[in-house]
Amino acid sequence: MTQKGTIGVTTDNIFPVIKKFLYSDHEIFLRELVSNAVDATQKMKTLSSFGDFKGELGEMNVTVKIDKTAGTLTVSDRGVGMTEEEINKYINQIAFSGAEEFLKKYKNDANTIIGHFGLGFYSAFMVAKKVEIHTRSYAENAQAVMWSCDGSPAYEMTPIEKDSRGTDVVLYIDDDNKEFLEPERVAALLQKYCRFLPIPVVFGKEQEWKDGKYVDTDKDRIINDTAPAWTKKPTELTDEDYKKFYSELFPASDEPLFWIHLNVDYPFKLTGILYFPRIKSNLDLNRNKIQLYCNQVFVTDSVEGIVPEFLTLLKGVIDSPDIPLNVSRSYLQSDSNVKKISSYITKKVAERLQEIFNNDRKLFESKWDDLKLFMEYGMLSDEKFYERAQNFALLKDTENSYYTFEEYKKLIESNQTDKDGNLIYLYATDREAQYNYLEAATSKGYDVLLMNGQLDPHFIGLLEQKFTKSRFVRVDSDVIDNLIRKDDKEKNTLTATQINRMSTVFRSQIPSLEKAEFIVVFESMGETSNPVMITQNEFMRRMKDMAAMQPGMSFYAEMPNSYNLIVNIDHPVVKKVIDQTESVCGAELKPLEEAIASSKETISQLRSAQKDKKPEEISQEDKDKLASAEKQEQESEQKENAVLTDFATQNSSIRQLVDLALLSNNMLKGEALSNFIKRSVELMK
Ligand code: ADP
Ligand code: MG
């Protein structure tokens, strides 16, 4: 006898809502129906294993079929099936309280709605105009029934003949969703959502190559791997198994560096395998390679909110029935289970790396360069991870040796502590370009770190916060004695007059370079150090490095690079230039220098006398005196400048010294470089 009724929905009609609003995620209906079939099959197995079912289980595959002519997609199982009462209970009675409000809020998020209402089965109406359930319960002598519903709250139930135990869910696909009658589309969906389901899922037949084309064989094609690696015990798996699983998940990937097999039962259930990929650069491209499963059903591959941000650089699978999957993201982030899971994974990842570090330091070091970006990102973004990682994170020096933070501190402590007790970490970003400075540092017995990674500018900042009384200084940011100031020992100095003369002499020979400013500085660096060097202020350079990475800081990016041109007054060639300046220009300069000094004196006297007066209180005579003194000073300075520039231009060794310094910083280019070469050849004559 046919039974008619209305589905227990308090809101007028759920179906238009399901159809209309859930447009984005239509495809998940297949996941829902296949997983219902799998659930029913697993229940059947359980009943049998407990002896509550004594009959033959028979073949237990779940089958997905499409029939284009009938316009149907059918999901069949040989699970527990349903009696009429069970259909009433599980299918017909769906209680929606506050449904309308909720639907409005989440209208674009099918997952959320389905999860909230336990609507898995009803998601069929997202793509079907009519749905039938043909089912026969496993219970002895059960009457098979067919339930049918055309998308209105009205349904029909009729007794039917059905030979086999289990359920067929038949979807009459509506016109807007014809894509779900295409074998390729359905195969792709099964591959996405059902690839690792625990019960074999059949879709179509195995094919073979015959008479120049592929033809179906008699053999069912099973689309899933029912026992993926993460469901096994770590002891059952070899390294090869792990690598094989990785290449199945991520074909065409490099071999992973390490992996970690997660397995917890309490306080939540979670299994999974996370792989550490090689990351050299481009952090963003490596995101979203963790797939989230719920009892082997694929849910999503965007895991933000579930694992800490930096762990989204890892690849692999996480499977947990305890993550509330069918809810909105904002809800996820505040869920206490999710928070626990998140900190559990961070802890496990750190422990695993620590374990590899402890057991096989060589191996760990050999993979460090590929792991470094991940580690630094983790330490920068997650305080807890920093705390754990500081014990096994490595620093690499320019000699390719690796040290833990603690080891490195011990290494440099005695030789690289400055007079104020600060520990100075020297670093280079480019072994080739900074070779000169590197050499100067190593010849002093200093160790120099190699910090050439994408995140190193930030990471250096972090380490400076974490390490007490420590500073990081790039080798080319100052002359070696100033990088690590050891004492205030007396050094050679120039007189004020000499400094004045030499500044003009050297400045006049610096070619004008785009976006570069030079300050001429004199240092006593010993006879064997280079005569002239170029350094770049650490602070300014860092600011510019940061600016290059952060769009908001264009102010710094626009500023010219400020360099110091450091002249080593101990160097014989420089000494010679100083002496020659005196012998060649001294006589001519002296009166000019005296004139400048006396003009300056007059100017400062006049200024201090006029300082507190208003302009109208100053006599014209005094105003004129000041103007003429200023003019005189200017004229004398111009003459002095001309004499020195003239001398410097005649004396090709000055330009040669400047060019050599530029050259060793890779700053001598174009015409300046060509002139340098010509001049060098000239000098050899
Ligand atoms: P859920 O799977 O979360 O319980 P669904 O809406 O997907 O919610 O299914 C509702 C109920 O209908 C299931 O709990 C189950 O009792 C029953 N059901 C659905 N599909 C099948 C099936 N293929 N075989 C047996 N029972 C089923
Ligand atoms: Mg379900």
Side-chain angles (χ1 to χ4, degrees):
M1 202 191 64
T2 302
Q3 178 197 327
K4 299 199 176 191
T6 317
I7 291 159
V9 189
T10 51
T11 184
D12 247 7
N13 190 343
I14 188 74
F15 300 113
V17 178
I18 290 177
K19 267 189 177 344
K20 199 164 137 201
F21 292 130
L22 308 184
Y23 49 83
S24 60
D25 299 332
H26 279 178
E27 59 179 46
I28 60 174
F29 80 93
L30 191 60
R31 172 188 86 188
E32 295 297 327
L33 296 182
V34 175
S35 58
N36 281 349
V38 166
D39 289 347
T41 309
Q42 281 182 316
K43 276 184 208 154
M44 198 62 230
K45 283 189 164 176
T46 310
L47 286 172
S48 166
S49 71
F50 281 95
D52 293 332
F53 173 75
K54 303 246 163 32
E56 277 294 309
L57 280 179
E59 175 105 70
M60 296 282 270
N61 295 348
V62 168
T63 306
V64 178
K65 265 201 188 104
I66 40 187
D67 181 339
K68 258 192 173 168
T69 17
T72 58
L73 184 150
T74 304
V75 178
S76 309
D77 64 69
R78 301 216 48 216
V80 286
M82 281 179 279
T83 60
E84 192 179 309
E85 295 75 55
E86 283 166 334
I87 294 191
N88 261 326
K89 192 162 153 203
Y90 299 125
I91 302 290
N92 292 339
Q93 299 305 318
I94 20 174
F96 301 107
S97 54
E100 226 131 12
E101 199 187 316
F102 190 88
L103 285 172
K104 250 184 230 144
K105 192 161 166 201
Y106 294 111
K107 61 185 174 201
N108 294 329
D109 189 347
N111 259 325
T112 307
I113 297 181
I114 289 165
H116 188 84
F117 297 116
L119 265 184
F121 166 73
Y122 279 96
S123 66
F125 287 97
M126 295 197 294
V127 299
K129 52 188 176 227
K130 183 168 94 166
V131 178
E132 289 171 3
I133 304 174
H134 305 236
T135 181
R136 203 184 95 193
S137 164
Y138 75 97
E140 236 170 289
N141 303 322
Q143 167 65 55
V145 275
M146 179 179 81
W147 175 95
S148 157
C149 177
D150 64 1
S152 72
Y155 67 85
E156 273 186 24
M157 248 200 306
T158 346
I160 52 161
E161 284 301 309
K162 186 177 188 301
D163 296 341
S164 57
R165 181 194 71 229
T167 307
D168 302 329
V169 177
V170 186
L171 273 56
Y172 292 83
I173 300 294
D174 66 25
D175 293 344
D176 293 344
N177 291 284
K178 287 280 187 244
E179 60 187 291
F180 299 114
L181 294 173
E182 296 301 330
E184 294 76 23
R185 175 79 167 118
V186 173
L189 286 182
L190 291 171
Q191 171 76 6
K192 177 171 173 188
Y193 291 107
C194 305
R195 190 173 172 192
F196 298 117
L197 282 177
I199 301 291
V201 177
V202 172
F203 182 61
K205 299 286 178 191
E206 293 287 355
Q207 296 199 308
E208 67 180 9
W209 184 256
K210 213 174 170 184
D211 303 329
K213 59 178 182 198
Y214 280 108
V215 291
D216 283 355
T217 63
D218 293 340
K219 209 168 156 238
D220 286 343
R221 181 176 58 187
I222 292 172
I223 58 94
N224 55 332
D225 170 2
T226 55
W230 81 82
T231 63
K232 296 178 182 158
K233 287 200 189 76
T235 47
E236 294 168 14
L237 296 163
T238 63
D239 285 1
E240 285 316 309
D241 294 329
Y242 283 110
K243 287 181 195 167
K244 192 166 152 261
F245 184 60
Y246 183 75
S247 61
E248 272 168 31
L249 284 177
F250 310 104
S253 287
D254 284 356
E255 230 179 58
L257 300 170
F258 309 116
W259 51 86
I260 167 171
H261 197 142
L262 302 165
N263 197 343
V264 235
D265 273 324
Y266 185 81
F268 46 82
K269 264 179 83 75
L270 179 137
T271 51
I273 303 175
L274 292 179
Y275 293 89
F276 297 79
R278 269 162 222 279
I279 312 172
K280 288 260 160 93
S281 61
N282 263 335
L283 288 171
D284 292 334
L285 290 182
N286 291 290
R287 303 273 163 136
N288 284 335
K289 297 286 166 51
I290 296 181
Q291 304 179 350
L292 198 60
Y293 289 78
C294 179
N295 291 322
Q296 293 172 244
V297 182
F298 173 84
V299 179
T300 178
D301 54 9
S302 81
V303 293
E304 319 93 83
I306 296 163
V307 306
E309 226 252 324
F310 78 100
L311 292 180
T312 60
L313 292 171
L314 300 182
K315 293 177 166 187
V317 293
I318 294 175
D319 188 339
S320 176
D322 288 330
I323 299 178
L325 298 169
N326 291 314
V327 293
S328 71
R329 292 245 158 241
S330 57
Y331 180 84
L332 259 190
Q333 272 145 22
S334 60
D335 184 81
S336 70
N337 246 344
V338 171
K339 281 194 183 133
K340 274 185 223 142
I341 288 173
S342 189
S343 64
Y344 167 82
I345 297 175
T346 309
K347 180 163 161 260
K348 281 292 159 192
V349 163
E351 281 173 5
R352 174 80 180 121
L353 292 168
Q354 175 89 60
E355 176 187 303
I356 300 167
F357 171 83
N358 290 346
N359 295 344
D360 195 344
R361 168 93 181 238
K362 274 241 145 55
L363 175 78
F364 191 76
E365 285 186 4
S366 73
K367 312 251 166 134
W368 177 258
D369 292 355
D370 291 322
L371 191 65
K372 172 176 151 146
L373 207 52
F374 167 78
M375 290 289 298
E376 291 188 350
Y377 189 64
M379 295 172 93
L380 278 161
S381 61
D382 194 303
E383 181 64 33
K384 278 248 156 59
F385 185 72
Y386 180 91
E387 273 166 36
R388 298 199 166 95
Q390 61 178 331
N391 301 314
F392 56 85
L394 298 178
L395 295 169
K396 179 185 182 179
D397 72 6
T398 47
E399 319 256 281
N400 293 330
S401 300
Y402 295 87
Y403 304 89
T404 62
F405 295 171
E406 202 53 43
E407 290 164 356
Y408 196 72
K409 189 175 168 201
K410 286 221 177 75
L411 178 80
I412 61 170
E413 216 158 26
S414 62
N415 201 20
Q416 292 179 216
T417 303
D418 72 6
K419 64 182 170 55
D420 303 319
N422 292 313
L423 190 55
I424 308 297
Y425 290 73
L426 297 177
Y427 70 97
T429 53
D430 186 330
R431 257 186 283 225
E432 297 296 314
Q434 292 150 9
Y435 182 82
N436 262 328
Y437 305 92
L438 249 174
E439 195 188 47
T442 42
S443 71
K444 280 236 169 197
Y446 296 156
D447 194 82
V448 180
L449 292 169
L450 185 63
M451 296 298 241
N452 58 352
Q454 197 182 0
L455 290 178
D456 278 334
H458 295 286
F459 194 60
I460 285 169
L462 176 73
L463 294 182
E464 279 182 336
Q465 283 169 30
K466 297 284 182 185
F467 298 173
T468 47
K469 287 211 92 177
S470 300
R471 264 192 311 122
F472 279 69
V473 180
R474 204 165 99 172
V475 277
D476 60 346
S477 61
D478 209 331
V479 300
I480 190 72
D481 285 341
N482 292 347
L483 289 178
I484 307 177
R485 282 184 198 268
K486 292 287 180 70
D487 49 38
D488 295 316
K489 136 176 130 231
E490 273 304 307
K491 293 193 163 174
N492 285 333
T493 47
L494 298 180
T495 64
T497 311
Q498 282 173 318
I499 289 179
N500 191 34
R501 288 177 182 177
M502 288 303 117
S503 297
T504 310
V505 163
F506 279 94
R507 192 173 312 109
S508 73
Q509 299 307 305
I510 300 172
S512 75
L513 297 175
E514 209 179 311
K515 272 207 176 179
E517 273 174 9
F518 290 88
I519 299 166
V520 180
V521 185
F522 299 93
E523 291 280 352
S524 154
M525 304 191 294
E527 290 182 12
T528 52
S529 299
N530 286 344
V532 179
M533 285 171 77
I534 290 166
T535 62
Q536 195 181 4
N537 177 275
E538 176 83 15
F539 174 76
M540 270 308 292
R541 207 210 52 250
R542 276 198 205 183
M543 282 305 173
K544 290 185 74 97
D545 283 352
M546 298 281 200
M549 292 195 283
Q550 282 156 319
M553 289 175 72
S554 57
F555 162 69
Y556 281 109
E558 287 310 311
M559 279 174 60
N561 286 308
S562 167
Y563 298 97
N564 282 345
L565 184 94
I566 300 178
V567 180
N568 176 12
I569 59 172
D570 295 337
H571 197 278
V573 181
V574 175
K575 275 191 174 146
K576 201 165 131 196
V577 172
I578 298 171
D579 292 346
Q580 281 175 343
T581 313
E582 173 59 36
S583 63
V584 176
C585 320
E588 207 176 342
L589 287 172
K590 232 187 183 89
L592 291 169
E593 283 161 357
E594 278 164 13
I596 293 167
S598 101
S599 304
K600 280 209 161 99
E601 178 66 27
T602 314
I603 292 168
S604 91
Q605 271 171 12
L606 285 167
R607 285 218 179 114
S608 69
Q610 296 175 1
K611 174 167 95 212
D612 297 323
K613 293 185 184 162
K614 294 188 184 121
E616 60 272 19
E617 294 170 342
I618 303 168
S619 70
Q620 190 56 43
E621 195 194 340
D622 283 350
K623 280 184 188 168
D624 291 346
K625 267 191 199 162
L626 181 59
S628 106
E630 281 172 348
K631 191 165 167 240
Q632 221 170 36
E633 186 203 4
Q634 218 183 11
E635 278 172 7
S636 307
E637 271 175 356
Q638 274 166 4
K639 279 187 199 153
E640 180 194 38
N641 215 336
V643 172
L644 287 165
T645 304
D646 215 38
F647 162 74
T649 314
Q650 302 285 321
N651 186 335
S652 54
S653 61
I654 298 164
R655 183 64 195 258
Q656 193 73 0
L657 288 175
V658 171
D659 281 358
L660 280 169
L662 288 168
L663 187 69
S664 66
N665 274 46
N666 203 14
M667 291 167 80
L668 196 62
K669 306 222 159 99
E671 194 185 349
L673 179 60
S674 151
N675 288 342
F676 167 77
I677 295 169
K678 282 186 202 141
R679 191 184 326 113
S680 303
V681 175
E682 244 355 86
L683 285 170
M684 290 162 79
K685 281 189 186 160

